[in-house]
Amino acid sequence: MRLYLLALNPTDSVTEGFLPAAARLGLTVTVLTEPGYVAAHREAYRAAVAPAGLGAVPEINGCAVRDFREVVGEISRRRAADGPFAVFSNSDHLQTQAALAAAYFGLPGKDWRATLRAKDKAETRRHLAAAGLDTVRSAELAPEADADAEADADVTFVPVPVPVHGADSVSAAVPVPRASVSLPGPAPYSAPASKTGSAPQARPAFDPAAFGVGYPCVVKPREGVASEDVVLVGDAAELRQRVAAIRARRPGQALVVEEFLPGELRTLETLGDAAGTRHVLGGFRTRLSPPPYFIEERLYFEPESPGFRRPGADQVLAQLDALGVGFGVCHTEYVTGPDGRARIIEVNYRAIGDQCDLMLADLLGIPLFEHILRTHLGEPLPRSLNARTDGRARQDAPLADRSGTLTAAPGPAELTVDGTRLTYRPLRAVGEYRELTHTNRDYLGILRVTGTDEAAVDRVATGFLAAQRWEITP
């Protein structure tokens, strides 16, 4: 059976996870990627054939994978000779394309409407608000290229259910933009009528406070990844400055401005099949870099076990159900406040990245990547995964703090220390120059420490990092 795997740049998840799993399942893999990435895939897979257990370098074909019509056409031209096949992607950017291609051929796959809702952060907010599950005050900013067209658009407010802790849900006039707003520059605005029924007052320019957002708030690309250009802003002047800078880097892309959601950041990792079986694989507590950026610096694994009640998990699962996210693997980020309320930050409808998925498979002691692929082959998940629940882990990512050339750094390491397994993988070569991005592209390496004693795991990780030295020369 042939597996068409849609990808952009090569990733550890595919190279060390999904491709070896496909080989163990006896699948013939064809990687479809943008022509500009073909050489990078060939180089990555050649280097990983023996270490990762690929068996052989898969077939790699150039295809405009961002366009689902080109994906359908490429597969259609080949399918008569291929026999049975499946379509899969673990790319943030290609979930809807893979879902549409699978649907076109009548294959198992994610619902394209759910992948779209997950990818489009503004649509995620609108859909959850309409379902009465959570309302995050936000506004969608049109791409600068569309400013003139958007200047004539209306922004309307509709009553939506607002969950209130400690009381029944109430209906309130909460701003839900039905059209995008241009910024900078004036944009017509229709405020909700007052309680006395007075007429809406026009506002001459975009004002987040008009949407109930207030400050501080967060500006982010509507369809962004890896915390790229996600920034906390404190006032209107900073907002305009940040939006202008992001638009200079991302011309033609829509942005979202939304209220800042305080609380402890966690993840929920799930896997489901077409029959409705869904497993919670576990999750991570996440420590972020200092404001105004949101870079994941450290993660602690929290296993799914009978003795542990994961804060907010039931609420998150209900919100995923409303979004239609059930089939396949999903990595959801959310915060929990002191009141126990869970609020989704974003839904990444793919496996957790940055090598955490590899660590997760090891901690659970299950063929995780095979299970994920089997769902796309139409096979049901077992009622029990028989996963281990005694694993503990910590993952750290040392960060560059400036642009420059890496002049000193530790090499790779595989150690056993105090009953734990320690793995360190450099992500940047000594002598390499990089600009500072304030994203996970600033990672210098990945440290993973696993074991069964959380205190030992923490101690070993802290000790290793303290003994290392990274130097960057401007």
Side-chain angles (χ1 to χ4, degrees):
M1 187 173 187
R2 183 172 297 276
L3 175 68
Y4 288 97
L5 193 153
L6 277 57
L8 292 178
N9 56 294
T11 63
D12 292 334
S13 296
V14 169
T15 304
E16 300 181 38
F18 289 108
L19 289 181
R24 291 190 290 269
L25 292 173
L27 300 175
T28 301
V29 178
T30 295
V31 176
L32 299 181
T33 187
E34 293 288 332
Y37 288 115
V38 168
H41 279 272
R42 288 194 178 124
E43 181 179 350
Y45 302 152
R46 274 198 296 266
V49 166
L54 298 189
V57 175
E59 179 183 16
I60 305 165
N61 283 356
C63 174
V65 289
R66 290 184 176 91
D67 186 339
F68 76 92
R69 295 164 297 187
E70 293 299 319
V71 174
V72 168
E74 178 69 18
I75 295 173
S76 183
R77 286 188 288 271
R78 302 168 53 102
R79 65 173 173 160
D82 279 348
F85 62 95
V87 180
F88 172 76
S89 179
N90 195 55
S91 169
D92 266 307
H93 304 282
L94 302 177
Q95 291 303 314
T96 299
Q97 293 87 334
L100 285 167
Y104 179 85
F105 292 110
L107 302 172
K110 298 170 181 175
D111 184 334
W112 68 266
R113 294 165 296 187
T115 63
L116 182 64
R117 291 179 196 126
K119 179 62 175 170
D120 184 327
K121 294 174 176 58
E123 184 61 21
T124 300
R125 298 305 188 202
R126 288 191 289 263
H127 197 82
L128 291 176
L133 292 173
D134 190 28
T135 299
V136 175
R137 295 181 293 275
S138 63
E140 187 175 351
L141 308 185
E144 193 171 31
D146 298 333
D148 292 339
E150 295 294 345
D152 296 326
D154 289 330
V155 180
T156 60
F157 288 69
V158 298
V160 298
V162 182
V164 178
H165 275 268
D168 293 334
S169 294
V170 298
S171 182
V174 174
V176 179
R178 293 299 191 189
S180 300
V181 181
S182 298
L183 181 146
Y189 170 90
S190 297
S194 72
K195 292 181 180 179
T196 60
S198 59
Q201 299 297 311
R203 291 178 183 265
F206 173 79
D207 177 7
F211 292 85
V213 176
Y215 295 100
C217 59
V218 178
V219 59
K220 62 177 73 173
R222 187 182 64 192
E223 300 179 19
V225 298
S227 298
E228 293 181 357
D229 287 322
V230 181
V231 187
L232 184 70
V233 298
D235 55 39
E238 185 181 7
L239 175 63
R240 290 184 177 277
Q241 178 186 19
R242 293 291 189 182
V243 167
I246 294 171
R247 280 181 165 165
R249 291 187 292 269
R250 296 171 175 264
Q253 294 190 29
L255 306 179
V256 172
V257 175
E258 64 183 32
E259 65 174 299
F260 172 65
L261 301 179
E264 187 171 26
L265 181 61
R266 280 184 158 86
T267 82
L268 191 69
E269 315 304 324
T270 56
L271 174 62
D273 65 16
T277 297
R278 178 168 59 193
H279 296 286
V280 174
L281 303 172
F284 294 85
R285 293 193 323 273
T286 305
R287 190 186 79 178
L288 296 174
S289 61
Y293 303 105
F294 298 86
I295 312 168
E296 295 176 357
E297 291 185 336
R298 178 175 298 165
L299 297 95
Y300 289 97
F301 178 63
E302 297 177 326
E304 188 68 12
S305 62
F308 175 67
R309 182 174 178 81
R310 190 177 310 282
D314 290 342
Q315 297 173 58
V316 173
L317 291 174
Q319 292 179 51
L320 292 178
D321 286 341
L323 293 169
V325 173
F327 178 89
V329 68
C330 186
H331 161 60
T332 305
E333 300 175 17
Y334 68 102
V335 294
T336 52
D339 59 359
R341 183 181 180 186
R343 312 193 75 185
I344 285 178
I345 299 296
E346 63 181 20
V347 179
N348 302 282
Y349 207 170
R350 41 94 179 150
I352 186 172
D354 293 322
Q355 302 181 12
C356 281
D357 46 358
L358 304 172
M359 180 171 67
L360 186 61
D362 183 54
L363 286 165
L364 300 179
I366 62 173
L368 176 60
F369 295 96
E370 285 92 329
H371 280 314
I372 296 170
L373 290 179
R374 285 183 186 276
T375 64
H376 290 263
L377 303 179
E379 300 180 21
L381 289 167
R383 301 301 299 179
S384 173
L385 295 177
N386 295 317
R388 292 178 52 186
T389 61
D390 61 344
R392 299 294 184 270
R394 172 176 148 180
Q395 178 160 306
D396 288 84
L399 281 166
D401 61 358
R402 72 199 75 175
S403 299
T405 301
L406 185 63
T407 52
E414 293 278 352
L415 305 171
T416 300
V417 184
D418 293 345
T420 71
R421 291 176 53 195
L422 181 152
T423 301
Y424 177 74
R425 295 189 184 181
L427 296 180
R428 181 169 163 184
V430 172
E432 182 179 356
Y433 176 89
R434 286 190 191 177
E435 292 287 336
L436 190 68
T437 66
H438 301 294
T439 74
N440 64 9
R441 302 185 196 284
D442 296 330
Y443 288 171
L444 300 172
I446 296 287
L447 171 68
R448 299 200 310 262
V449 181
T450 61
T452 56
D453 183 335
E454 186 168 353
V457 165
D458 210 30
R459 183 174 61 253
V460 169
T462 299
F464 178 85
L465 291 172
Q468 309 308 313
R469 182 170 60 94
W470 290 265
E471 291 185 3
I472 296 174
T473 302

